[in-house]
Amino acid sequence: MSTPTTRESKAQGLIDRCLNAAEDFLYVVLALLLVLGAAVLLAQATYELATQLDEGAAEAVKSALESLLLVFILVELLAAIRATIRERKLVAEPFLLVGIIASIKEIVVIAIDAKSDFGAKDDSFTDAMIAIGVLAGVLLVLSIATLLVRRKEREPAE
C-alpha cells in the first residue's frame, strides 16, 4: 500500500473540515428547533392550565403535565445534541434518559386515563394495566442500561 500524497492529504483534510462544518450546522439547526418546540410547548402548557381550570383542576393539570413532560424530553434531546457536539461522538446516556422520561410520561398519562376506565365493561382498563406493566419493564431495562453506561464511563481507559 502506498502512502497518501500531500495533495490527497490536503483534499481529505478539506473534505473532513467541510463535513464537520455541515454536521455542526445541522446540529445547530436541530438544537434551535428543539428550543423552539420546547418554548411552544411551555406556552401551550401555560395556556391550557389557565383556560382549562373551569373544566376541573385534574383535567387541566393532566393536560399541562403531558406538555411539560414533552418539554423535558426536548430538553434532554437538546442535552444529547450538546454532548454529541462536545464529544464529537454519539453519547448514549442522554438518549437513555429521554427513553426513561418518555416511559414515565406514558405511564402517568395511561394511569390518569385508566382511572376513568376502572370498572368498565370492556377490556380498556386491563389493556391500560398491561401497557403500564410493559412500560415499567422498559423503564427497568433503560435504568439498568443507564447504570451500566455510567459504570463503563468511570472505568479507566484501556
Side-chain angles (χ1 to χ4, degrees), residues 112-131:
I112 291 171
D113 289 340
K115 178 181 148 188
S116 63
D117 293 336
F118 186 73
K121 300 286 186 214
D122 60 1
D123 292 333
S124 58
F125 183 76
T126 304
D127 292 344
M129 293 302 107
I130 290 170

Side-chain angles (χ1 to χ4, degrees), residues 128-155:
M129 293 302 107
I130 290 170
I132 287 174
V134 169
L135 285 167
V138 168
L139 190 56
L140 180 65
V141 169
L142 289 172
S143 299
I144 291 169
T146 302
L147 178 71
L148 293 173
V149 165
R150 285 184 179 176
R151 188 174 287 170
K152 174 87 171 114
E153 288 175 355
R154 289 188 195 132
E155 289 179 0

Side-chain angles (χ1 to χ4, degrees), residues 15-88:
I15 290 170
D16 190 45
R17 285 191 303 276
C18 288
L19 289 177
N20 278 337
E23 181 181 5
D24 288 345
F25 172 76
L26 290 175
Y27 280 134
V28 168
V29 170
L30 282 172
L32 290 174
L33 288 174
L34 288 172
V35 169
L36 180 64
V40 168
L41 280 171
L42 274 174
Q44 176 188 349
T46 304
Y47 176 78
E48 287 175 352
L49 191 60
T51 58
Q52 292 181 358
L53 280 175
D54 298 341
E55 301 167 19
E59 190 62 35
V61 170
K62 175 192 154 205
S63 181
L65 180 64
E66 195 169 344
S67 294
L68 290 174
L69 288 170
L70 284 172
V71 170
F72 276 122
I73 290 170
L74 293 177
V75 169
E76 282 302 317
L77 286 171
L78 183 61
I81 288 174
R82 285 181 50 225
T84 301
I85 291 171
R86 184 176 45 248
E87 302 286 328
R88 298 310 267 175

